[in-house]
Amino acid sequence: MRLRFLCCFLLLLSGFTALSQDMARVRKTIAALASEEMHGRGYAFKGDSLAANYLEQRYASMGLQSFTAGFRQNFTLPINILDNRLLLEVNGQTLQPGVDFIAHGATGAGAGDGRVYQLDTTLLLDVDAAQNFLATKLRNTVLVVRQRHFQNLLSLPEPFRAQLATVKAVVVLQPGAKVMATVRTEQLPFPVLEVLEKSWPAHAKKVKFAVDARLEQAYKSQNLIGFIPGKLQPDSFVVITAHYDHLGRQGKTLMFPGAHDNASGTAFLLELAHWYAQPQNTPDYSIAFMAFAAEEAGLLGSKFYTENPLFPLAKIKFLLNLDLMSTGEEGMMAVNGSVFPKQFSLLQQLNRQHQFLPQIKSRGKAANSDHYYFTEQGVPSFFFYTLGGTTTEYHHPNDKAETLPLTKFPQVFALIKAFIAAL
Protein backbone atom coordinates (compact mmCIF):
# COMPACT_ATOMS: atom_id res chain seq x y z
CA MET A 1 0.00 0.00 0.00
CA ARG A 2 2.80 2.40 0.95
CA LEU A 3 4.62 1.58 -2.30
CA ARG A 4 1.46 2.20 -4.30
CA PHE A 5 0.92 5.54 -2.54
CA LEU A 6 4.54 6.52 -3.21
CA CYS A 7 4.20 5.67 -6.92
CA CYS A 8 1.03 7.79 -7.18
CA PHE A 9 2.71 10.66 -5.36
CA LEU A 10 5.72 10.55 -7.68
CA LEU A 11 3.43 10.42 -10.71
CA LEU A 12 1.57 13.51 -9.53
CA LEU A 13 4.83 15.24 -8.72
CA SER A 14 6.20 14.54 -12.20
CA GLY A 15 3.01 15.92 -13.75
CA PHE A 16 3.31 19.10 -11.72
CA THR A 17 6.94 19.47 -12.68
CA ALA A 18 6.05 19.07 -16.37
CA LEU A 19 3.61 21.96 -16.09
CA SER A 20 5.69 24.16 -13.82
CA GLN A 21 6.91 27.32 -15.50
CA ASP A 22 8.81 30.39 -14.41
CA MET A 23 5.93 32.68 -15.28
CA ALA A 24 7.61 35.64 -13.60
CA ARG A 25 10.46 35.30 -16.10
CA VAL A 26 7.96 34.96 -18.96
CA ARG A 27 6.20 38.16 -17.98
CA LYS A 28 9.53 39.95 -17.56
CA THR A 29 10.53 38.90 -21.08
CA ILE A 30 7.25 40.08 -22.60
CA ALA A 31 7.43 43.37 -20.69
CA ALA A 32 10.96 43.98 -21.96
CA LEU A 33 10.05 43.25 -25.58
CA ALA A 34 6.89 45.38 -25.41
CA SER A 35 8.55 48.28 -23.58
CA GLU A 36 8.88 51.88 -24.72
CA GLU A 37 12.63 51.33 -25.01
CA MET A 38 12.07 48.76 -27.79
CA HIS A 39 9.96 51.26 -29.83
CA GLY A 40 7.50 48.52 -30.80
CA ARG A 41 10.29 46.39 -32.38
CA GLY A 42 9.72 48.10 -35.71
CA TYR A 43 11.86 50.20 -38.01
CA ALA A 44 11.45 53.71 -36.60
CA PHE A 45 14.29 54.41 -34.17
CA LYS A 46 15.80 50.99 -34.96
CA GLY A 47 13.41 49.14 -32.68
CA ASP A 48 14.03 45.83 -34.43
CA SER A 49 17.79 46.13 -33.85
CA LEU A 50 17.30 46.93 -30.18
CA ALA A 51 15.18 43.79 -29.84
CA ALA A 52 17.84 41.81 -31.71
CA ASN A 53 20.47 42.97 -29.21
CA TYR A 54 18.24 41.76 -26.38
CA LEU A 55 17.74 38.35 -28.01
CA GLU A 56 21.45 37.99 -28.71
CA GLN A 57 22.19 38.54 -25.02
CA ARG A 58 19.53 36.02 -23.98
CA TYR A 59 20.81 33.39 -26.42
CA ALA A 60 24.38 33.86 -25.18
CA SER A 61 23.38 33.75 -21.49
CA MET A 62 21.71 30.35 -22.06
CA GLY A 63 24.77 28.94 -23.81
CA LEU A 64 23.14 28.37 -27.20
CA GLN A 65 25.53 27.59 -30.04
CA SER A 66 25.60 29.75 -33.14
CA PHE A 67 25.93 29.21 -36.87
CA THR A 68 27.03 32.83 -37.35
CA ALA A 69 28.72 35.63 -35.42
CA GLY A 70 26.39 36.93 -32.74
CA PHE A 71 23.60 34.52 -33.79
CA ARG A 72 22.73 36.97 -36.59
CA GLN A 73 21.62 36.35 -40.13
CA ASN A 74 21.64 39.80 -41.73
CA PHE A 75 19.44 40.82 -44.64
CA THR A 76 17.92 43.96 -46.14
CA LEU A 77 14.38 44.90 -47.04
CA PRO A 78 12.47 47.93 -48.34
CA ILE A 79 10.36 49.53 -45.61
CA ASN A 80 8.28 52.69 -45.15
CA ILE A 81 9.36 54.34 -41.86
CA LEU A 82 7.16 56.79 -39.94
CA ASP A 83 9.36 58.33 -37.27
CA ASN A 84 8.51 61.95 -36.54
CA ARG A 85 5.24 63.87 -36.96
CA LEU A 86 1.71 62.48 -37.00
CA LEU A 87 -1.06 65.07 -36.75
CA LEU A 88 -4.64 65.40 -37.96
CA GLU A 89 -7.14 68.20 -37.29
CA VAL A 90 -10.65 68.40 -38.76
CA ASN A 91 -12.64 71.66 -38.53
CA GLY A 92 -10.13 72.81 -35.92
CA GLN A 93 -10.59 69.70 -33.74
CA THR A 94 -7.51 67.56 -33.04
CA LEU A 95 -7.98 63.83 -33.54
CA GLN A 96 -6.05 61.41 -31.36
CA PRO A 97 -3.49 59.11 -33.01
CA GLY A 98 -4.14 55.45 -32.27
CA VAL A 99 -7.67 56.19 -31.09
CA ASP A 100 -9.32 58.19 -33.88
CA PHE A 101 -6.82 57.69 -36.68
CA ILE A 102 -3.51 56.20 -37.81
CA ALA A 103 -1.34 56.61 -40.87
CA HIS A 104 -1.67 54.09 -43.67
CA GLY A 105 1.38 51.82 -43.71
CA ALA A 106 2.32 53.00 -47.21
CA THR A 107 1.62 56.68 -46.57
CA GLY A 108 3.66 59.30 -48.31
CA ALA A 109 5.05 62.28 -46.39
CA GLY A 110 3.44 65.68 -46.29
CA ALA A 111 2.06 68.52 -44.20
CA GLY A 112 -0.40 71.34 -44.75
CA ASP A 113 -4.08 72.08 -44.83
CA GLY A 114 -6.83 71.83 -47.40
CA ARG A 115 -10.53 71.80 -48.03
CA VAL A 116 -12.36 68.49 -47.91
CA TYR A 117 -13.30 66.89 -51.23
CA GLN A 118 -15.68 63.96 -50.66
CA LEU A 119 -15.13 61.48 -53.45
CA ASP A 120 -18.16 60.59 -55.55
CA THR A 121 -17.61 56.85 -55.83
CA THR A 122 -19.87 56.64 -58.88
CA LEU A 123 -16.78 57.66 -60.86
CA LEU A 124 -15.82 54.00 -60.61
CA LEU A 125 -18.92 53.13 -62.63
CA ASP A 126 -20.20 56.26 -64.39
CA VAL A 127 -18.48 57.98 -67.32
CA ASP A 128 -19.89 61.44 -66.57
CA ALA A 129 -18.82 61.24 -62.90
CA ALA A 130 -15.36 60.13 -63.99
CA GLN A 131 -15.03 63.07 -66.39
CA ASN A 132 -16.19 65.46 -63.69
CA PHE A 133 -13.52 64.11 -61.32
CA LEU A 134 -10.78 64.53 -63.94
CA ALA A 135 -11.86 68.13 -64.58
CA THR A 136 -11.84 69.12 -60.88
CA LYS A 137 -8.82 71.01 -59.53
CA LEU A 138 -7.63 69.08 -56.48
CA ARG A 139 -4.39 70.87 -55.62
CA ASN A 140 -5.64 72.36 -52.34
CA THR A 141 -7.91 69.49 -51.36
CA VAL A 142 -7.86 66.55 -48.99
CA LEU A 143 -9.67 63.69 -50.69
CA VAL A 144 -12.02 61.66 -48.44
CA VAL A 145 -12.94 58.12 -49.48
CA ARG A 146 -14.44 55.12 -47.72
CA GLN A 147 -12.20 52.14 -47.08
CA ARG A 148 -14.15 49.80 -49.35
CA HIS A 149 -13.43 52.09 -52.32
CA PHE A 150 -9.81 53.01 -51.59
CA GLN A 151 -8.13 50.01 -53.21
CA ASN A 152 -10.30 50.40 -56.30
CA LEU A 153 -9.24 54.03 -56.47
CA LEU A 154 -5.54 53.07 -56.51
CA SER A 155 -6.11 50.64 -59.35
CA LEU A 156 -7.71 53.20 -61.71
CA PRO A 157 -5.95 53.85 -65.05
CA GLU A 158 -3.26 56.48 -65.57
CA PRO A 159 -5.36 59.68 -66.03
CA PHE A 160 -7.01 59.07 -62.66
CA ARG A 161 -3.70 58.23 -60.93
CA ALA A 162 -2.19 61.47 -62.24
CA GLN A 163 -5.19 63.39 -60.89
CA LEU A 164 -4.89 61.64 -57.52
CA ALA A 165 -1.23 62.63 -57.28
CA THR A 166 -2.28 66.31 -57.21
CA VAL A 167 -4.21 66.09 -53.91
CA LYS A 168 -2.61 67.23 -50.68
CA ALA A 169 -3.64 64.08 -48.81
CA VAL A 170 -6.19 61.27 -48.73
CA VAL A 171 -8.36 60.39 -45.74
CA VAL A 172 -9.69 56.82 -45.75
CA LEU A 173 -12.76 56.33 -43.55
CA GLN A 174 -12.74 52.98 -41.75
CA PRO A 175 -15.77 51.21 -40.29
CA GLY A 176 -15.51 49.46 -36.94
CA ALA A 177 -14.58 50.41 -33.39
CA LYS A 178 -10.76 50.40 -33.56
CA VAL A 179 -7.96 51.33 -35.87
CA MET A 180 -5.59 48.57 -36.97
CA ALA A 181 -2.13 49.35 -38.32
CA THR A 182 0.22 47.66 -40.80
CA VAL A 183 3.77 48.15 -42.05
CA ARG A 184 4.45 48.30 -45.77
CA THR A 185 7.38 47.88 -48.12
CA GLU A 186 6.23 50.58 -50.57
CA GLN A 187 5.19 54.23 -50.42
CA LEU A 188 2.25 56.02 -52.03
CA PRO A 189 2.84 59.40 -53.73
CA PHE A 190 0.63 61.25 -51.24
CA PRO A 191 -0.09 61.17 -47.48
CA VAL A 192 -2.83 58.72 -46.46
CA LEU A 193 -4.52 58.83 -43.05
CA GLU A 194 -7.01 56.19 -41.92
CA VAL A 195 -9.79 57.61 -39.73
CA LEU A 196 -12.60 55.82 -37.93
CA GLU A 197 -15.94 56.78 -39.44
CA LYS A 198 -17.32 57.44 -35.94
CA SER A 199 -14.55 60.03 -35.35
CA TRP A 200 -15.09 61.90 -38.60
CA PRO A 201 -17.37 64.99 -38.38
CA ALA A 202 -20.54 64.85 -40.45
CA HIS A 203 -19.80 68.23 -42.03
CA ALA A 204 -16.03 68.17 -42.35
CA LYS A 205 -14.83 71.19 -44.33
CA LYS A 206 -11.16 71.77 -43.57
CA VAL A 207 -8.30 69.46 -42.65
CA LYS A 208 -4.84 70.16 -41.25
CA PHE A 209 -2.34 67.31 -41.25
CA ALA A 210 1.31 66.35 -40.90
CA VAL A 211 2.90 62.96 -41.43
CA ASP A 212 6.56 62.14 -41.87
CA ALA A 213 7.47 59.02 -43.85
CA ARG A 214 10.58 57.86 -45.67
CA LEU A 215 10.99 54.77 -47.79
CA GLU A 216 14.26 52.97 -47.15
CA GLN A 217 14.96 50.62 -50.04
CA ALA A 218 17.65 48.58 -48.23
CA TYR A 219 16.93 48.73 -44.52
CA LYS A 220 19.28 46.44 -42.55
CA SER A 221 17.59 43.91 -40.28
CA GLN A 222 18.44 40.48 -38.92
CA ASN A 223 17.18 37.06 -37.91
CA LEU A 224 18.50 35.62 -34.61
CA ILE A 225 19.35 31.92 -34.79
CA GLY A 226 20.91 29.61 -32.20
CA PHE A 227 20.84 25.89 -31.55
CA ILE A 228 21.41 23.09 -29.06
CA PRO A 229 23.17 19.97 -30.44
CA GLY A 230 21.25 16.72 -30.04
CA LYS A 231 22.81 13.87 -28.11
CA LEU A 232 21.70 11.06 -30.45
CA GLN A 233 21.10 12.62 -33.90
CA PRO A 234 22.86 16.01 -33.96
CA ASP A 235 22.58 16.29 -37.76
CA SER A 236 18.75 16.24 -37.61
CA PHE A 237 16.84 19.27 -36.34
CA VAL A 238 13.60 20.20 -34.70
CA VAL A 239 13.11 23.93 -35.34
CA ILE A 240 11.26 26.42 -33.13
CA THR A 241 10.39 29.74 -34.77
CA ALA A 242 8.72 32.99 -33.72
CA HIS A 243 8.79 36.48 -35.18
CA TYR A 244 10.15 39.11 -32.81
CA ASP A 245 9.34 42.17 -34.92
CA HIS A 246 6.17 44.26 -34.69
CA LEU A 247 4.77 47.49 -36.13
CA GLY A 248 6.99 49.90 -34.24
CA ARG A 249 6.00 53.56 -34.09
CA GLN A 250 4.03 56.06 -36.12
CA GLY A 251 5.51 59.38 -35.16
CA LYS A 252 7.25 59.94 -31.86
CA THR A 253 4.24 59.43 -29.60
CA LEU A 254 2.25 56.54 -31.10
CA MET A 255 3.70 53.07 -30.41
CA PHE A 256 2.40 49.56 -31.06
CA PRO A 257 3.87 47.42 -28.23
CA GLY A 258 3.02 44.03 -29.77
CA ALA A 259 2.79 42.06 -26.53
CA HIS A 260 0.43 39.36 -27.81
CA ASP A 261 1.77 39.74 -31.36
CA ASN A 262 4.37 38.51 -30.90
CA ALA A 263 6.31 39.12 -27.72
CA SER A 264 4.30 36.17 -26.37
CA GLY A 265 5.61 33.78 -29.03
CA THR A 266 9.15 35.11 -28.68
CA ALA A 267 9.01 34.59 -24.90
CA PHE A 268 7.75 31.06 -25.56
CA LEU A 269 10.73 30.39 -27.85
CA LEU A 270 13.14 31.67 -25.18
CA GLU A 271 11.52 29.50 -22.50
CA LEU A 272 11.93 26.42 -24.68
CA ALA A 273 15.55 27.37 -25.33
CA HIS A 274 16.11 27.79 -21.59
CA TRP A 275 14.60 24.36 -20.91
CA TYR A 276 16.60 22.44 -23.50
CA ALA A 277 19.81 24.29 -22.63
CA GLN A 278 19.83 22.57 -19.22
CA PRO A 279 22.21 19.56 -19.33
CA GLN A 280 19.55 17.21 -17.94
CA ASN A 281 17.19 18.17 -20.80
CA THR A 282 19.55 17.77 -23.77
CA PRO A 283 17.33 16.67 -26.68
CA ASP A 284 17.86 13.60 -28.87
CA TYR A 285 17.68 15.75 -32.00
CA SER A 286 19.34 19.12 -32.35
CA ILE A 287 16.94 22.00 -31.76
CA ALA A 288 17.33 25.30 -33.60
CA PHE A 289 15.69 28.47 -32.32
CA MET A 290 14.92 31.01 -35.04
CA ALA A 291 13.59 34.47 -34.13
CA PHE A 292 12.60 36.13 -37.38
CA ALA A 293 12.44 39.81 -38.28
CA ALA A 294 10.16 41.38 -40.90
CA GLU A 295 7.22 38.99 -40.48
CA GLU A 296 4.93 42.00 -40.31
CA ALA A 297 6.42 43.27 -43.58
CA GLY A 298 5.34 40.13 -45.45
CA LEU A 299 7.21 37.16 -43.90
CA LEU A 300 10.44 38.54 -45.35
CA GLY A 301 12.81 37.32 -42.62
CA SER A 302 11.69 33.70 -42.84
CA LYS A 303 11.55 33.90 -46.64
CA PHE A 304 15.16 35.07 -46.65
CA TYR A 305 16.12 32.19 -44.37
CA THR A 306 14.56 29.52 -46.60
CA GLU A 307 16.48 31.01 -49.54
CA ASN A 308 19.70 31.14 -47.51
CA PRO A 309 19.52 28.29 -44.95
CA LEU A 310 22.30 27.82 -42.40
CA PHE A 311 21.92 24.04 -42.65
CA PRO A 312 20.04 21.96 -45.24
CA LEU A 313 16.26 22.32 -45.01
CA ALA A 314 16.03 18.57 -45.64
CA LYS A 315 17.60 18.06 -42.20
CA ILE A 316 14.56 19.57 -40.46
CA LYS A 317 12.48 16.78 -38.95
CA PHE A 318 9.70 19.16 -37.91
CA LEU A 319 9.17 22.90 -37.44
CA LEU A 320 6.92 24.57 -34.86
CA ASN A 321 6.08 28.25 -35.40
CA LEU A 322 4.73 30.18 -32.38
CA ASP A 323 2.67 33.33 -32.86
CA LEU A 324 -0.06 34.86 -30.64
CA MET A 325 0.57 32.57 -27.66
CA SER A 326 -0.87 34.45 -24.69
CA THR A 327 -4.33 32.92 -24.21
CA GLY A 328 -5.55 29.31 -24.61
CA GLU A 329 -8.78 29.15 -22.62
CA GLU A 330 -10.46 27.72 -25.72
CA GLY A 331 -7.45 25.66 -26.79
CA MET A 332 -5.06 26.09 -29.67
CA MET A 333 -5.07 26.15 -33.46
CA ALA A 334 -2.63 24.12 -35.55
CA VAL A 335 -2.29 25.61 -39.02
CA ASN A 336 -1.16 22.81 -41.37
CA GLY A 337 -2.89 20.27 -39.12
CA SER A 338 -4.75 18.84 -42.10
CA VAL A 339 -1.59 18.95 -44.24
CA PHE A 340 0.34 16.69 -41.84
CA PRO A 341 -2.36 14.40 -40.41
CA LYS A 342 0.04 11.88 -38.87
CA GLN A 343 1.78 14.48 -36.73
CA PHE A 344 -1.52 16.18 -35.92
CA SER A 345 -2.91 12.86 -34.72
CA LEU A 346 0.12 12.48 -32.45
CA LEU A 347 -0.47 15.98 -31.09
CA GLN A 348 -4.13 15.20 -30.41
CA GLN A 349 -3.24 11.92 -28.73
CA LEU A 350 -0.79 13.63 -26.37
CA ASN A 351 -3.31 16.32 -25.54
CA ARG A 352 -6.04 13.79 -24.74
CA GLN A 353 -3.66 11.70 -22.66
CA HIS A 354 -2.48 14.59 -20.47
CA GLN A 355 -5.53 16.91 -20.79
CA PHE A 356 -3.36 19.96 -21.40
CA LEU A 357 -5.91 21.96 -23.41
CA PRO A 358 -9.68 21.78 -23.94
CA GLN A 359 -9.15 21.28 -27.69
CA ILE A 360 -6.71 21.56 -30.56
CA LYS A 361 -8.25 22.72 -33.82
CA SER A 362 -6.84 22.10 -37.27
CA ARG A 363 -6.53 24.30 -40.33
CA GLY A 364 -5.07 23.80 -43.76
CA LYS A 365 -2.17 25.59 -45.40
CA ALA A 366 -2.07 29.37 -44.95
CA ALA A 367 0.49 32.08 -45.72
CA ASN A 368 -0.18 33.83 -42.41
CA SER A 369 3.08 33.42 -40.46
CA ASP A 370 6.70 32.33 -40.66
CA HIS A 371 6.06 28.60 -41.16
CA TYR A 372 4.74 29.27 -44.68
CA TYR A 373 7.92 29.42 -46.78
CA PHE A 374 9.28 26.38 -44.96
CA THR A 375 6.14 24.43 -45.84
CA GLU A 376 6.50 25.57 -49.44
CA GLN A 377 10.02 24.09 -49.43
CA GLY A 378 8.74 20.73 -48.19
CA VAL A 379 9.51 21.16 -44.49
CA PRO A 380 6.81 19.58 -42.27
CA SER A 381 5.54 22.44 -40.11
CA PHE A 382 2.81 23.52 -37.72
CA PHE A 383 1.90 27.10 -36.86
CA PHE A 384 0.42 27.29 -33.36
CA TYR A 385 -1.68 30.14 -32.02
CA THR A 386 -3.82 30.09 -28.88
CA LEU A 387 -7.59 30.55 -28.80
CA GLY A 388 -9.96 32.38 -26.46
CA GLY A 389 -9.34 35.00 -23.82
CA THR A 390 -9.85 38.72 -23.98
CA THR A 391 -6.71 39.71 -25.89
CA THR A 392 -8.23 41.38 -28.93
CA GLU A 393 -5.99 44.42 -29.39
CA TYR A 394 -4.49 43.06 -32.60
CA HIS A 395 -2.16 45.58 -34.31
CA HIS A 396 -3.37 48.20 -31.84
CA PRO A 397 -1.58 50.48 -29.35
CA ASN A 398 -3.30 48.66 -26.46
CA ASP A 399 -1.57 45.33 -27.15
CA LYS A 400 0.38 45.76 -23.92
CA ALA A 401 2.22 43.32 -21.68
CA GLU A 402 0.00 43.93 -18.66
CA THR A 403 -3.13 42.89 -20.57
CA LEU A 404 -1.98 39.34 -21.36
CA PRO A 405 -3.62 36.54 -19.35
CA LEU A 406 -1.09 33.80 -20.31
CA THR A 407 -3.77 31.42 -19.05
CA LYS A 408 -2.55 28.21 -20.65
CA PHE A 409 1.11 29.07 -21.18
CA PRO A 410 2.39 26.24 -18.91
CA GLN A 411 0.03 23.69 -20.46
CA VAL A 412 0.99 24.59 -24.03
CA PHE A 413 4.65 24.51 -22.98
CA ALA A 414 4.24 20.99 -21.60
CA LEU A 415 2.35 19.86 -24.72
CA ILE A 416 5.08 21.12 -27.06
CA LYS A 417 7.79 19.41 -25.00
CA ALA A 418 5.81 16.17 -25.12
CA PHE A 419 5.34 16.50 -28.88
CA ILE A 420 9.05 17.07 -29.47
CA ALA A 421 9.91 14.08 -27.30
CA ALA A 422 7.40 11.90 -29.18
CA LEU A 423 8.91 12.81 -32.55
Side-chain angles (χ1 to χ4, degrees), residues 2 18 38 48 75 96 172 195 223 227 290 313 347 366 376 417 420:
R2 291 179 62 188
M38 294 286 184
D48 66 318
F75 65 97
Q96 186 175 347
V172 180
V195 184
N223 298 323
F227 73 100
M290 301 184 181
L313 296 178
L347 188 71
E376 291 297 285
K417 287 193 302 180
I420 291 172

Side-chain angles (χ1 to χ4, degrees), residues 107-186:
T107 185
D113 54 63
R115 59 184 176 84
V116 170
Y117 180 89
Q118 185 77 40
L119 182 69
D120 181 0
T121 55
T122 59
L123 75 88
L124 302 171
L125 302 171
D126 184 83
V127 174
D128 291 336
Q131 290 298 326
N132 182 59
F133 175 74
L134 290 173
T136 303
K137 293 182 179 180
L138 300 177
R139 291 192 181 279
N140 292 312
T141 65
V142 173
L143 187 67
V144 178
V145 60
R146 297 190 182 279
Q147 185 184 46
R148 62 181 178 271
H149 300 303
F150 181 58
Q151 198 57 45
N152 292 334
L153 192 67
L154 295 179
S155 61
L156 290 173
E158 177 52 37
F160 294 94
R161 290 202 300 271
Q163 176 74 325
L164 278 175
T166 67
V167 302
K168 280 198 164 183
V170 175
V171 166
V172 180
L173 299 183
Q174 290 189 342
K178 297 178 182 179
V179 293
M180 189 174 74
T182 60
V183 294
R184 300 289 287 270
T185 58
E186 71 278 359

Side-chain angles (χ1 to χ4, degrees), residues 24 32 168 217 305 373 380 419:
K168 280 198 164 183
Q217 292 289 356
Y305 182 88
Y373 285 107
F419 181 73

Side-chain angles (χ1 to χ4, degrees), residues 254-286:
L254 177 58
M255 188 185 84
F256 299 83
H260 184 45
D261 182 22
N262 184 36
S264 64
T266 306
F268 212 115
L269 177 147
L270 291 172
E271 285 301 302
L272 286 167
H274 186 274
W275 168 266
Y276 286 109
Q278 307 305 308
Q280 67 272 24
N281 300 327
T282 302
D284 292 340
Y285 299 94
S286 294

Side-chain angles (χ1 to χ4, degrees), residues 318-321 335-337 339-340 371 374-375 379-383:
F318 208 84
L319 181 145
L320 298 174
N321 179 49
V335 176
N336 276 354
V339 180
F340 301 102
H371 65 289
F374 287 90
T375 304
V379 176
S381 312
F382 285 155
F383 160 30

